[in-house]
Amino acid sequence: LKSMYEVFHCPVIGLAWLVQSQNLVTDNVEVMEGDVAVISCRVKNNDDSVIQLLNPNRQTIYFRDVRPLKDARFQLVNFSDNELRVSLSNVSLSDEGRYVCQLYTDPPQEAYADITVLIPPGNPIIESREGQVIEGNETEMTCTAMGSKPAATIRWMKGDKELQGRSTPVEETYDHMFTVTSQLRFIVTKEDDGVPVVCIVDHPAVKDFQALTYLVVHYKPEVKIIVEFPDGLPREGQNMELSCQAKGKPHPQQINWVKVDDDLPSHALITGPDLYIENLNKTYNGTYRCFAANSVGESYDDYILYVYDSRAGEGAPRAVDHAVIGGVVAVVVFAMLCLLIILGRYFARHKGTYFTHEAKGADDAADADTAIINAEGGHNNSDEKKEYYI
């Protein structure tokens, strides 16, 4: 019995609601079509009353441990004073309904176990309105999940981003199956090319049920001009090669070179996407344009050519040297001017002090002779200073 219980009990899907009637207890069961359902009639405080199990038509499936119903899919899993447990294998939609656990007491007691059969949908079908979408246009996709019970729900993912679809009313078929359809619309960009769009079907009977398709987005070329040579500034006498790099979907089938408002140099050579010009001179100055086109549209990129003379690269370092020298000279001149100003102020200050001391004491003199006598440095003591002539 233990091994039989394990075999029949494992496939049962959860979601049980406790149903009680006095001392009799049972559970509702959800089971996937084709799996095994287990119905358990349990008795609390049984006083040796008889337990039996009836089908939705009130026919006795088991009376105690005896099976009157001739349906071998019903098997006894456990029988005791407190439980009657029965398994139903290979469940089909016709098995759905209310089963009755009955306890012979006075009055009789009943408890009800509802079996719900889950039927997963068939493989989801995803369809696109068009196989290829042009950048900037709207695309529409449809995902259908057919033949499920209960009705499934549908979600959409574009890459790692969830998008909101619009579900149509659920259709119920004659056998109580459901079909669900969801539509998705969005504007595409060139970055969407190759991105997966996934239709995810959610249903209690299945997990990770999905279908996917990959976006195919057509877009006009992206054009870029690359200078292959020379390196640095183009100079007179040098050769030049420009390469036109174009990317689009479908791949650009046509690439053209022109010179804006003028003709290409007479000896310019075009090889596929490359433009080759030898022996540059200033008459070649101007704007060179590369066009690339596919079935979606046309794009271009420009290169402005300015040809320098052959010595254009030599003058730059000299200009830098002259600037440095000029800066040094300016600093030296400024330092000399500052020094002259400081020396001039110094001499001017000391000269004023000399005259002040020479005249000190002369301000209060009554006449010139007295002023001379009173002045510092004057000969106020003629006896002390004598001159001798030999």
Side-chain angles (χ1 to χ4, degrees), residues 124-389:
I125 301 172
I126 187 169
E127 297 175 324
S128 180
R129 184 172 60 188
E130 58 276 299
Q132 302 166 353
V133 190
I134 296 177
E135 175 189 14
N137 288 355
E138 182 183 69
T139 188
E140 179 180 315
M141 296 184 178
T142 302
C143 183
T144 303
M146 303 176 62
S148 68
K149 181 179 175 300
T153 58
I154 295 177
R155 295 181 291 121
W156 292 92
M157 297 288 293
K158 186 186 77 170
D160 57 357
K161 181 180 179 182
E162 184 167 356
L163 301 181
Q164 186 65 42
R166 182 175 61 88
S167 294
T168 59
V170 176
E171 296 182 17
E172 183 177 0
T173 60
Y174 69 93
D175 53 356
H176 306 291
M177 301 291 192
F178 296 90
T179 296
V180 181
T181 301
S182 178
Q183 292 180 333
L184 177 67
R185 293 181 179 180
F186 60 94
I187 303 297
V188 298
T189 65
K190 62 177 179 289
E191 288 77 19
D192 291 328
D193 184 46
V195 173
V197 176
V198 185
C199 161
I200 304 172
V201 177
D202 294 323
H203 190 272
V206 290
K207 293 182 179 179
D208 299 327
F209 209 32
Q210 61 186 30
L212 67 84
T213 185
Y214 291 92
L215 290 169
V216 179
V217 181
H218 285 190
Y219 53 93
K220 66 181 182 180
E222 298 174 321
V223 184
K224 185 177 182 181
I225 296 176
I226 302 297
V227 180
E228 298 292 347
F229 59 82
D231 295 331
L233 300 176
R235 303 170 188 162
E236 289 183 312
Q238 290 183 327
N239 299 330
M240 168 171 280
E241 182 175 339
L242 302 177
S243 179
C244 182
Q245 298 183 356
K247 176 185 176 183
K249 191 166 186 176
H251 187 74
Q253 299 298 318
Q254 185 178 4
I255 294 179
N256 293 323
W257 281 95
V258 298
K259 186 178 181 184
V260 178
D261 298 329
D262 200 355
D263 295 330
L264 288 172
S266 58
H267 61 281
L269 179 63
I270 299 175
T271 305
D274 300 330
L275 172 65
Y276 179 77
I277 306 174
E278 63 181 11
N279 194 21
L280 293 175
N281 62 66
K282 293 182 180 294
T283 63
Y284 298 159
N285 290 347
T287 301
Y288 291 78
R289 177 170 295 173
C290 170
F291 287 95
N294 61 10
S295 59
V296 179
E298 183 180 71
S299 301
Y300 66 86
D301 189 25
D302 288 342
Y303 174 78
I304 299 175
L305 173 62
Y306 182 84
V307 179
Y308 294 82
D309 61 42
S310 58
R311 299 175 59 85
E314 300 176 4
R318 295 179 182 175
V320 174
D321 294 341
H322 292 169
V324 173
I325 293 172
V328 173
V329 171
V331 172
V332 172
V333 171
F334 179 74
M336 293 180 65
L337 289 174
C338 292
L339 181 61
L340 289 174
I341 292 172
I342 294 172
L343 289 174
R345 291 175 62 85
Y346 175 79
F347 286 127
R349 184 180 296 114
H350 282 71
K351 182 176 181 181
T353 303
Y354 170 77
F355 284 120
T356 300
H357 285 295
E358 183 176 294
K360 190 174 181 180
D363 294 336
D364 298 330
D367 52 35
D369 293 336
T370 307
I372 294 172
I373 294 173
N374 293 339
E376 285 187 3
H379 302 287
N380 54 353
N381 192 355
S382 59
D383 294 337
E384 295 179 0
K385 295 182 179 181
K386 295 180 181 180
E387 294 182 356
Y388 296 90
Y389 299 93

Side-chain angles (χ1 to χ4, degrees), residues 108-121:
Q109 299 180 29
E110 291 184 351
Y112 306 102
D114 291 329
I115 291 184
T116 301
V117 179
L118 305 177
I119 301 178

Side-chain angles (χ1 to χ4, degrees), residues 71-88:
D71 188 343
R73 295 182 304 148
F74 291 98
Q75 295 293 325
L76 184 65
V77 177
N78 182 52
F79 174 72
S80 66
D81 290 341
N82 298 318
E83 183 185 32
L84 172 62
R85 189 187 309 162
V86 177
S87 67
L88 171 60

